[in-house]
Amino acid sequence: MTKEETISRWVAQARQGDKVAMNKLAEGMRSPLQEHVNRLTLDVDLTQEIVQDSLVKMVEQLHTLQRDDQFWPWLSKIALNGMRRHYRDNGKHKTRSLDEARMEQTSSPDHDVVADAIADELRQIVLLAMRQLKPDQRTVLVLRCYEQLTFPQVADRVGTSEFRARALFIQAKKALGKRLAKGGYGKSSLLGALVIFGKMTATSEASLVQVSISTATVEAGLLPGLVVALGNKVAVLTVATVAAASTLGGALLLSDDSADPHPPMAYAQQSTGTADGDLQHLYYYPPGSSNGVQLQIRSDRPGEAGLPIWLQNDHANYARQGDTVLICNAHLWHRDGSVMRLPTDGAALSAFLDRIEGRSGGSRPVRRDPRGLLVMDQGPRGRQVIPNYDVIDESFFSGRWPSRLDVIDRRDAAHRRGWTFFSVEGNLGTETITGVGRIPLVQAKVANFAPWMRLHIGRRLVIEETGSTARLKTSAGQVLKRYRRGTFFHGLMRPWEGLHTIDTVRRDAAQDKIPFVTEYESDDSMATVRLSTSAAEIVYRIHMDRDLIDEIRFLLPDGSEGGMDFSYPEHLHEPGNNGRDSSPASRRSRGGDLAPAWLISLVAGTLGE
């Protein structure tokens, strides 16, 4: 008879009033309960107190146990509640830590052999790192790693949601990794440190031998089925993630440019009804103050759970249709004409968009965390937020797909490359407008292909974005005014921020309190956004699949017109540039003013005033 079978027999007999079985049960559970509580408290004296109280409550309350096979979860909950009561009533009063007591109360005869094999420095670092975790973080870590519980089981044991359990586990891993790093050990040492801690806290030779933690165990994912496991490797986002898709997820097929580019977008639009309770929207804001947003949409409908139906990360945009994944040029947009909303949208922006769209107020905005932020919006089921979150620790936003799926790349050459040049030609009344620039099409390309732009307005003005500052100059080069970096991309396409150009343009207009009207062509290939002010009317024509501006037209109250036509060449050959793909020389940013609605000011002749 196995140990588990023996304990199960004792439980059944004790529930029938057998006092001998009850005594055997109490004595038999002392060692495993002590090991479990030791790992939660890292305090020998407190562990003894909690174990003794828990065993007393076990004897008194065993008749309340509903199922014999739930005995250990039931007993461990009693111990966990005892620990929580202690911290609530006494705070984290320090008695003898495990290290100070040298495991004298809980060591097995063979434990010293293991301890001797572990460098004393590493042992001290591991114990210190574990001790500095918050109790709830350490509890989830222990349940996941040493009891091998699933996240739903962990959530049930600690009395929280599965989402919160995963969040606590991720936070615990990050905190533990940082502590190890301070001691000179890299992220790769996390798994070894957990194994060492498990062996140091084992109370018997049998439990010591059983300490084993796989990489799958320490992979949190975020929701069931969200992580696509790839062997035993933990995924890290790199610039080559999409390029490696041919080896990571089925056959990578490069479609010719004549293939219909619209099915991915049509599919995505039909899958994003804001009132649909079956959809979950996950918004990830990478660390940094302006690193854009990534989006994942999952469905709880039968047959859909487990894989995203839409994913846009820092490398590409993906639409899944059954067993086929389409890599798309464009970010997600809504066919019903509504503007893409984000959980971090401020109250003023949301209120203006609500008035434009005839909607009522939505959820309270989430404050963006420069250390990273993850928000899961479940519509009527509410919203959950994880601040201080870095997705690089996980793989569920990496764009890796199971090998059974076909991955078809429908992107054009520029979007496969991840960045593009652009050129501008047009006029403002009798003045010509010419310009050149470059934009990254995905966030992963920003570091090496930062956005820049130079526009010449006749012979009087030069508008310049250098990558570190924005300037308004005379044609002779005299700086008239400096603006904050990015000022002159306001109102233009910024795909690296994670939104479709049609939403970037409209959200910028809303931020400037400028009303707008949106119209789509019958085949959804192009859209028109019309901005109206007393000073001028600006009309954008946007290519929906390419996710880029095609043209901008100006109309002044006196009837005069103008505009800018955009093209996206493979190479630039500017005078003085010798064909090099480099941005204009930049200076250190000195801050400067913002110029909201600068296009309106340009057309009205007030830019720089």
Side-chain angles (χ1 to χ4, degrees):
M1 183 177 296
T2 65
K3 180 179 179 181
E4 289 75 16
E5 291 173 337
T6 299
I7 291 175
S8 180
R9 180 166 57 87
W10 288 343
V11 169
Q13 292 172 345
R15 291 180 66 192
Q16 296 298 320
D18 189 329
K19 294 183 178 180
V20 174
M22 182 70 81
N23 289 335
K24 289 181 178 179
L25 182 62
E27 189 59 32
M29 296 311 299
R30 183 178 296 276
S31 179
L33 190 61
Q34 189 166 290
E35 177 179 285
H36 176 70
V37 178
N38 263 337
R39 289 169 174 164
L40 299 181
T41 66
L42 299 182
D43 185 321
V44 172
D45 294 331
L46 178 58
T47 292
Q48 292 177 340
E49 177 184 333
I50 292 174
V51 168
Q52 186 60 37
D53 288 347
S54 299
L55 292 177
V56 170
K57 285 184 170 61
M58 180 200 78
V59 172
E60 295 174 345
Q61 301 176 14
L62 187 62
H63 65 281
T64 66
L65 178 66
Q66 296 182 354
R67 290 171 46 188
D68 293 352
D69 61 354
Q70 290 297 305
F71 172 70
W72 174 250
W74 175 79
L75 180 59
S76 63
K77 279 185 180 180
I78 292 176
L80 178 60
N81 289 335
M83 181 187 75
R84 287 172 170 169
R85 281 194 300 272
H86 173 85
Y87 287 145
R88 182 192 62 207
D89 297 340
N90 303 289
K92 297 178 183 178
H93 177 68
K94 187 178 185 301
T95 54
R96 285 191 303 162
S97 72
L98 293 181
D99 187 44
E100 292 166 340
R102 295 209 175 264
M103 317 297 288
E104 60 191 38
Q105 303 293 336
T106 60
S107 296
S108 70
D110 293 333
H111 188 275
D112 287 342
V113 175
V114 177
D116 290 342
I118 300 171
D120 185 63
E121 178 187 18
L122 179 56
R123 182 173 63 86
Q124 295 289 342
I125 290 172
V126 170
L127 282 175
L128 178 62
M130 292 295 292
R131 189 179 298 126
Q132 291 179 337
L133 293 179
K134 294 178 181 179
D136 283 350
Q137 293 175 346
R138 191 163 56 240
T139 297
V140 170
L141 198 70
V142 167
L143 294 174
R144 175 66 175 166
C145 294
Y146 305 113
E147 293 204 22
Q148 302 292 308
L149 299 187
T150 64
F151 282 108
Q153 291 171 331
V154 171
D156 178 70
R157 189 76 65 87
V158 301
T160 188
S161 68
E162 180 184 347
F163 188 92
R164 179 61 179 162
R166 291 177 185 270
L168 285 170
F169 185 73
I170 291 167
Q171 292 166 359
K173 284 201 311 175
K174 289 183 64 176
L176 186 57
K178 287 181 179 179
R179 297 296 178 185
L180 291 173
K182 286 184 178 179
Y185 295 90
K187 284 188 176 182
S188 60
S189 63
L190 177 63
L191 194 61
L194 290 170
V195 172
I196 288 171
F197 177 75
K199 290 184 178 294
M200 292 177 66
T201 51
T203 58
S204 68
E205 182 178 359
S207 62
L208 185 149
V209 172
Q210 291 174 359
V211 174
S212 177
I213 304 172
S214 68
T215 53
T217 299
V218 297
E219 172 67 70
L222 189 66
L223 295 166
L226 205 56
V227 178
V228 179
L230 296 170
N232 291 322
K233 297 181 180 179
V234 178
V236 177
L237 295 179
T238 67
V239 175
T241 300
V242 175
S246 58
T247 59
L248 297 177
L252 179 62
L253 306 177
L254 301 180
S255 61
D256 59 60
D257 293 335
S258 63
D260 180 6
H262 305 301
M265 293 314 306
Y267 172 80
Q269 295 149 16
Q270 294 166 359
S271 304
T272 56
T274 55
D276 193 338
D278 291 331
L279 296 179
Q280 298 173 344
H281 292 67
L282 282 81
Y283 303 87
Y284 170 56
Y285 299 81
S289 59
S290 59
N291 284 341
V293 64
Q294 298 176 30
L295 171 66
Q296 182 172 145
I297 301 176
R298 299 179 68 251
S299 172
D300 288 339
R301 299 186 185 105
E304 290 289 349
L307 287 173
I309 57 177
W310 179 266
L311 169 66
Q312 54 191 51
N313 58 19
D314 56 345
H315 295 282
N317 309 302
Y318 306 83
R320 183 176 64 83
Q321 301 178 350
D323 289 337
T324 301
V325 176
L326 304 173
I327 310 180
C328 315
N329 290 332
H331 292 84
L332 187 69
W333 56 280
H334 295 314
R335 171 172 283 171
D336 63 5
S338 61
V339 178
M340 180 71 72
R341 307 292 188 97
L342 298 176
T344 50
D345 287 345
L349 175 63
S350 296
F352 190 88
L353 289 173
D354 286 344
R355 288 197 296 271
I356 291 288
E357 298 176 352
R359 293 171 51 178
S360 58
S363 303
R364 182 178 179 181
V366 176
R367 177 177 295 182
R368 178 150 185 173
D369 190 332
R371 302 168 298 175
L373 175 70
L374 185 68
V375 180
M376 184 177 75
D377 196 332
Q378 301 180 88
R381 290 176 290 172
R383 171 187 289 171
Q384 301 194 57
V385 179
I386 306 178
N388 190 18
Y389 184 79
D390 190 349
V391 80
I392 199 170
D393 292 332
E394 307 299 331
S395 62
F396 59 90
F397 262 88
S398 67
R400 300 183 175 211
W401 303 89
S403 58
R404 63 180 174 82
L405 303 184
D406 286 331
V407 180
I408 303 175
D409 196 336
R410 288 188 177 272
R411 294 173 297 176
D412 57 32
H415 284 83
R416 290 174 191 165
R417 187 173 61 236
W419 61 273
T420 185
F421 291 116
F422 66 90
S423 63
V424 178
E425 293 184 357
N427 72 287
L428 179 57
T430 59
E431 291 183 307
T432 60
I433 299 177
T434 60
V436 292
R438 181 181 68 194
I439 54 170
L441 298 172
V442 292
Q443 207 280 326
K445 295 295 185 180
V446 171
N448 294 324
F449 300 92
W452 61 267
M453 175 175 63
R454 184 189 297 118
L455 289 179
H456 295 264
I457 313 299
R459 296 184 176 181
R460 61 184 179 93
L461 291 178
V462 177
I463 293 171
E464 192 171 73
E465 279 275 0
T466 67
S468 63
T469 190
R471 298 180 288 218
L472 181 65
K473 304 191 301 185
T474 67
S475 57
Q478 179 187 358
V479 176
L480 300 175
K481 198 165 186 177
R482 296 183 185 274
Y483 298 90
R484 194 172 302 174
R485 180 181 65 182
T487 289
F488 296 118
F489 278 106
H490 184 82
L492 298 182
M493 57 270 177
R494 301 191 301 279
W496 65 90
E497 293 184 355
L499 293 175
H500 195 285
T501 295
I502 195 171
D503 288 310
T504 299
V505 167
R506 294 183 297 180
R507 287 166 61 88
D508 286 350
Q511 185 178 343
D512 296 334
K513 303 294 191 296
I514 300 175
F516 57 84
V517 175
T518 307
E519 297 177 355
Y520 297 103
E521 293 189 0
S522 59
D523 62 355
D524 289 333
S525 61
M526 304 292 291
T528 299
V529 179
R530 188 180 303 271
L531 280 56
S532 299
T533 72
S534 59
E537 184 173 89
I538 307 291
V539 182
Y540 292 83
R541 184 172 167 82
I542 298 169
H543 197 297
M544 298 305 291
D545 176 64
R546 298 200 72 195
D547 200 348
L548 296 170
I549 293 174
D550 185 62
E551 65 177 15
I552 303 176
R553 303 259 69 85
F554 312 136
L555 179 62
L556 275 70
D558 63 5
S560 58
E561 298 182 356
M564 298 189 296
D565 295 319
F566 288 74
S567 60
Y568 302 89
E570 290 293 311
H571 304 282
L572 283 183
H573 297 283
E574 312 173 60
N577 196 42
N578 297 322
R580 292 193 299 271
D581 296 345
S582 59
S583 67
S586 62
R587 302 174 183 174
R588 179 179 295 275
S589 176
R590 296 165 62 180
D593 299 330
L594 286 171
W598 70 272
L599 273 172
I600 297 288
S601 300
L602 172 65
V603 175
T606 59
L607 183 62
E609 294 182 358

